Amino acid sequence: MRLAILDRDRCQPRLCGLQCIKFCPRVRTGDETIIIGEDGKPVISEELCVGCGICVNRCPFGSIMIISLPEKLEEPTHRYGKNGFALYGLPIPTVGKVTGILGPNGIGKSTAINILSGTLKPNLGRGRIGWDEILEYYAGSALHDYLEGVSKGKVKTSQKPQYVDMIPKKFKGNVSQLLSKTDERGILGELLSKLDIAGITGRKIEELSGGELQRVALAACVAKEADFYFIDEISPYLDIYQRIKAAQIIRELAQEKAVMVVEHDLAILDLLADVVHIAYGTPGGFGVITHPKGVRVGINEYLKGFLREENVRIRTEAIRFDVHAPSVAKEVSSLVTFGRFAKKYDEGFELVAQGGEIRKGEVTGIVGPNGIGKSTFVKILADEIQPTEGSIEMNIKVSYKPQYIKADESILVSELLRSLTTQVDSSYYQTEILRPLQLERLLDQKVNDLSGGELQRVAIAACLSRTADLYLLDEPSAHLDVEQRVMATKVIRRFAENNKVTAMVVDHDIYMIDMLSDRLLVFEGEPMKKGEVHGPFDMRHGMNRFLKGIGITFRRDDETKRPRVNKLDSQLDRRQKAEGEYYYSVAGS
């Protein structure tokens, strides 16, 4: 079974001379394997295509994909027209459970949710069809009754969007005005208290930070009265403590409602979900959503890259986790030292750093709760803002990726990167930055047309493209899927090692910080009032100090060795706290 996918936005037949038709061997023998459609663009016959790949390689704009599918797949759940993206399978909403979806971006998760929410009618790959035909196809399946309710408009849905930073563009006013329209369940006051946002209800939406927007969006979603709740990524911009609180709220909601979540922070997904559907395929080409699996089994199979029940390999290499804390780093020279400085804002928050040392060739992780001054610290290092007490003199070149990325530029991605480095076309840049960050297909797109995840990867590449001694990256994991986070981690780590430069990374993804860092800076204090910088520490000392401050311990999965959050006050949680081992314990699940 074969799919032919044409990216119609990238296809430019007037500029390429229709090389896909000229060089297709089946066309040369007289078959109509590729013809010109009504819009002047190629239409590829999947029945006649032999999968030689010549059209794929000849297309100068990379707009064609020829994909061989597993034979067991039946007709698609939905397809976006001839040579368009195809989705196979749907997740199953279940009252009383949190259903998770785990998979890369661009694989059809949004299409599935649009179908389940009633905003998109599935066409089964047959074009325009009626609900009678759709319900007949799903007769006898777990989805039949649910889709019948959707067809009659009886299913009410509530959805938290993925990109919360778009909310200020769509709503003007303060938080109270936004949330007052959503309190259909009469629990808004309780949600505000649990999410610690009761004190910001009078503030304007455009004044909120990313973490505040995320919690406001979650409160708005959960406060509505609905049959089906879909929550798309709760982790971006939230610290680990806030993520766990959000997970607890969602678990409470699922006791009486059907809840579905997409989440790329595996520790939070593990804590959240009862079952998980794995989504796999080719981003932009096709996606397959599996039957539900137990959450531990599903996550482990996804990490291994092999789905046992489906007998499908979705990745050539497994994602692996180190069991033990990194060994003590070898002696390295100092890049820069700085004395005590402080930054005080008119709102009352103050950050105090007692001074420290940044070493050459190291990657330093920066951890701590939101509102504690991490972004302020890196902005001072980047010379974006100035301290109010003391001074910091760094006679070095610094490259900085901010936490919140604005896509105001209408230039192409390739033009942006070329404005920062002459190495874009070099083999090193291609293999170490562009390819692992999956940017090759984005080079001809405009920066302001990119999605949040695409923009994040371009921002990481832009930061690493500048010539500098110190690279500062603030939350590079935001909006990246699991595989993109792993690849971004490897890119940053290898870049620092190969070029003997220093990197400092602020992030709330514990897995990413662990895989990246040689040492840790730990921020402590009282959020929104005072922050203090401690360290850098070695990884074991730093991670124990950080997690002790928020009262969370991790255990290791027996099978994959991935860290998993312990249930609060469980026997294992109490034992690890007594031992002082909050993260690097090898205790099994």
Side-chain angles (χ1 to χ4, degrees):
M1 189 175 178
R2 187 173 292 112
L3 284 183
I5 306 295
L6 178 70
D7 188 332
R8 312 194 79 78
D9 293 332
R10 297 174 66 90
C11 178
Q12 301 184 48
R14 293 182 180 179
L15 300 180
C16 71
L18 295 170
Q19 294 193 37
C20 55
I21 295 180
K22 288 180 180 178
F23 290 96
C24 174
R26 295 300 297 265
V27 172
R28 288 185 169 189
T29 62
D31 289 335
E32 293 187 339
T33 306
I34 308 179
I35 61 174
I36 300 299
E38 294 180 358
D39 61 354
K41 297 188 178 184
V43 177
I44 305 170
S45 170
E46 293 167 348
E47 294 77 15
L48 297 177
C49 176
V50 295
C52 65
I54 291 176
C55 61
V56 176
N57 294 321
R58 284 287 180 175
C59 178
F61 303 107
S63 60
I64 299 174
M65 288 189 286
I66 305 296
I67 304 167
S68 295
L69 295 179
E71 292 296 332
K72 289 184 179 180
L73 289 180
E74 300 175 0
E75 58 187 324
T77 302
H78 188 79
R79 190 161 191 190
Y80 291 96
K82 183 72 173 178
N83 297 149
F85 178 87
L87 174 68
Y88 295 83
L90 282 175
I92 305 171
T94 306
V95 176
K97 287 186 177 180
V98 177
T99 302
I101 308 176
L102 175 58
N105 292 327
I107 214 76
K109 297 188 293 292
S110 295
T111 296
I113 295 307
N114 287 336
I115 292 172
L116 294 175
S117 64
T119 58
L120 177 67
K121 185 168 69 173
N123 60 21
L124 306 181
R126 305 172 190 172
R128 294 184 179 180
I129 60 175
W131 273 110
D132 290 343
E133 193 174 348
I134 296 167
L135 294 176
E136 181 182 355
Y137 177 80
Y138 283 101
S141 72
L143 278 165
H144 178 271
D145 291 345
Y146 181 86
L147 290 176
E148 186 176 34
V150 170
S151 70
K152 296 178 180 179
K154 294 181 178 180
V155 176
K156 186 177 180 182
T157 62
S158 179
Q159 183 170 345
K160 188 205 79 67
Q162 179 182 11
Y163 300 118
V164 296
D165 40 11
M166 299 296 291
I167 294 175
K169 297 181 180 180
K170 297 181 178 180
F171 180 86
K172 301 299 180 183
N174 62 33
V175 174
S176 180
Q177 291 171 328
L178 172 64
L179 293 180
S180 62
K181 301 176 182 179
T182 67
D183 191 20
E184 299 170 354
R185 298 176 63 212
I187 61 168
L188 185 58
E190 180 183 347
L191 288 172
L192 294 178
S193 176
K194 288 182 177 179
L195 291 169
D196 195 26
I197 52 174
I200 66 169
T201 53
R203 288 170 56 188
K204 293 181 178 179
I205 291 292
E206 59 266 28
E207 296 174 351
L208 301 185
S209 68
E212 290 165 342
L213 277 173
Q214 189 71 265
R215 285 174 284 162
V216 167
L218 179 60
C221 174
V222 174
K224 291 180 181 178
E225 184 63 56
D227 305 295
F228 170 53
Y229 293 81
F230 174 63
I231 297 167
D232 199 346
E233 290 192 47
I234 61 167
S235 62
Y237 309 125
L238 297 188
D239 62 44
I240 187 169
Y241 182 75
Q242 292 168 339
R243 294 178 186 192
I244 290 175
K245 289 293 293 182
Q248 291 170 343
I249 289 171
I250 296 169
R251 293 289 310 172
E252 292 172 3
L253 174 67
Q255 292 176 6
E256 54 187 43
K257 302 288 186 177
V259 181
M260 192 166 287
V261 298
V262 171
E263 183 51 60
H264 299 302
D265 184 328
L266 294 183
I268 299 303
L269 181 64
D270 195 6
L271 196 66
L272 257 178
D274 297 292
V275 296
V276 64
H277 294 263
I278 305 300
Y280 69 92
T282 300
F286 81 103
V288 180
I289 296 179
T290 68
H291 293 299
K293 303 171 182 285
V295 64
R296 178 178 175 272
V297 171
I299 292 177
N300 285 354
E301 286 188 1
Y302 182 79
L303 292 174
K304 291 177 180 178
F306 179 72
L307 307 181
R308 185 177 300 174
E309 183 180 349
E310 291 77 12
N311 194 29
V312 171
R313 180 161 293 283
I314 62 174
R315 196 184 313 106
T316 55
E317 294 182 2
I319 297 174
R320 306 182 187 280
F321 294 90
D322 293 328
V323 176
H324 301 291
S327 57
V328 178
K330 61 184 180 181
E331 288 295 323
V332 291
S333 57
S334 173
L335 175 68
V336 65
T337 58
F338 56 90
R340 184 189 184 280
F341 67 84
K343 174 66 176 180
K344 191 166 186 176
Y345 290 91
D346 294 338
E347 297 84 358
F349 176 79
E350 183 180 26
L351 172 70
V352 177
Q354 297 300 336
E357 176 189 56
I358 301 173
R359 298 177 181 176
K360 287 183 180 178
E362 274 196 347
V363 179
T364 301
I366 299 176
V367 294
N370 277 337
I372 207 73
K374 302 185 300 299
S375 294
T376 295
F377 179 77
V378 295
K379 284 179 181 179
I380 290 174
L381 294 184
D383 201 28
E384 293 279 317
I385 59 176
Q386 299 299 316
T388 50
E389 289 182 33
S391 62
I392 178 167
E393 296 182 5
M394 301 199 306
N395 297 317
I396 58 173
K397 292 182 179 179
V398 178
S399 181
Y400 170 53
K401 185 203 82 69
Q403 179 182 13
Y404 305 117
I405 307 164
K406 295 181 180 179
D408 296 331
E409 299 181 77
S410 60
I411 63 173
L412 300 178
V413 171
S414 57
E415 294 173 345
L416 171 66
L417 297 179
R418 284 193 172 91
S419 70
L420 301 173
T421 179
T422 59
Q423 300 297 312
V424 173
D425 297 316
S426 70
S427 59
Y428 172 83
Y429 196 89
Q430 295 277 335
T431 57
E432 294 295 327
I433 294 180
L434 290 185
R435 197 165 301 152
L437 289 176
Q438 302 171 2
L439 297 181
E440 292 170 310
R441 291 183 62 83
L442 301 181
L443 292 176
D444 295 327
Q445 293 190 33
K446 291 185 177 180
V447 173
N448 54 6
D449 290 337
L450 300 179
S451 70
E454 292 168 341
L455 189 61
Q456 186 71 259
R457 286 179 278 138
V458 170
I460 294 170
C463 178
L464 300 182
S465 296
R466 302 183 186 96
T467 301
D469 305 295
L470 173 63
Y471 294 81
L472 303 170
L473 297 103
D474 198 345
E475 287 207 44
S477 73
H479 303 308
L480 300 188
D481 63 42
V482 174
E483 296 183 45
Q484 290 168 347
R485 292 182 187 200
V486 171
M487 291 310 300
T489 298
K490 291 180 179 178
V491 167
I492 297 168
R493 180 81 204 176
R494 284 202 300 254
F495 182 86
E497 291 176 347
N498 293 342
N499 295 281
K500 296 180 174 55
V501 294
T502 301
M504 302 184 79
V505 179
V506 178
D507 213 283
H508 295 298
D509 188 318
I510 297 296
Y511 296 179
M512 189 172 189
I513 285 291
D514 183 28
M515 289 189 285
L516 259 177
S517 309
D518 296 302
R519 295 193 299 163
L520 279 184
L521 274 174
V522 180
F523 281 60
E524 297 173 353
E526 188 174 355
M528 308 306 296
K529 292 186 178 180
K530 186 173 184 178
E532 299 175 350
V533 186
H534 298 275
F537 304 105
D538 64 80
M539 289 301 294
R540 184 184 296 276
H541 185 187
M543 198 69 84
N544 282 339
R545 179 164 182 159
F546 168 54
L547 293 178
K548 183 178 181 179
I550 55 178
I552 295 168
T553 60
F554 285 77
R555 67 190 185 280
R556 294 283 176 168
D557 182 81
D558 284 335
E559 196 174 349
T560 62
K561 307 306 177 188
R562 64 182 172 90
R564 306 177 69 191
V565 179
N566 287 325
K567 186 176 180 181
L568 190 63
D569 291 328
S570 66
Q571 182 179 357
L572 193 54
D573 180 60
R574 294 196 304 270
R575 191 183 81 195
Q576 287 183 218
K577 286 177 178 176
E579 294 172 349
E581 290 291 352
Y582 284 74
Y583 186 76
Y584 291 110
S585 172
V586 298
S589 59

